[in-house]
């Protein structure tokens, strides 16, 4: 992937960055496109909701 451009979403500055942006602890990614990086927070929310509703990952016991 060295020849391909990657993008991150900076949670500190709320913007899309290239590989030489903020520290990784403040970013989500990498994403293959700027558009995907711009949706990082929405994507994370969608994945969290899916995991919350996935019976394989649900720790709640139903008796």
């Amino acid at each position: 992937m060295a020849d391909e451009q990657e993008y991150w979403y900076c949670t500190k500055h709320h913007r899309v960055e290239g590989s030489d942006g903020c520290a990784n602890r403040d970013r989500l990614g990498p994403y293959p496109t700027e558009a995907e990086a711009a949706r990082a927070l929405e994507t994370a929310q969608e994945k969290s909701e899916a995991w919350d509703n996935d019976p394989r990952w649900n720790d709640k016991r139903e008796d």
Side-chain angles (χ1 to χ4, degrees):
M1 251 185 147
D3 294 337
E4 296 178 24
Q5 179 67 36
E6 294 178 317
Y7 301 90
W8 285 261
Y9 182 80
C10 176
T11 59
K12 186 176 180 180
H13 298 106
H14 305 285
R15 66 178 180 220
V16 174
E17 301 178 336
S19 59
D20 55 345
C22 290
N24 285 341
R25 70 177 174 268
D26 295 322
R27 318 195 286 178
L28 299 173
Y31 295 92
T33 67
E34 287 185 71
E36 288 178 79
R39 288 195 74 248
L41 293 178
E42 293 165 323
T43 300
Q45 179 66 32
E46 291 165 0
K47 287 182 179 183
S48 290
E49 289 174 4
W51 291 330
D52 287 345
N53 296 312
D54 187 332
R56 295 173 296 171
W57 298 104
N58 192 336
D59 292 338
K60 295 179 185 173
R61 291 185 58 169
E62 295 183 27
D63 295 324

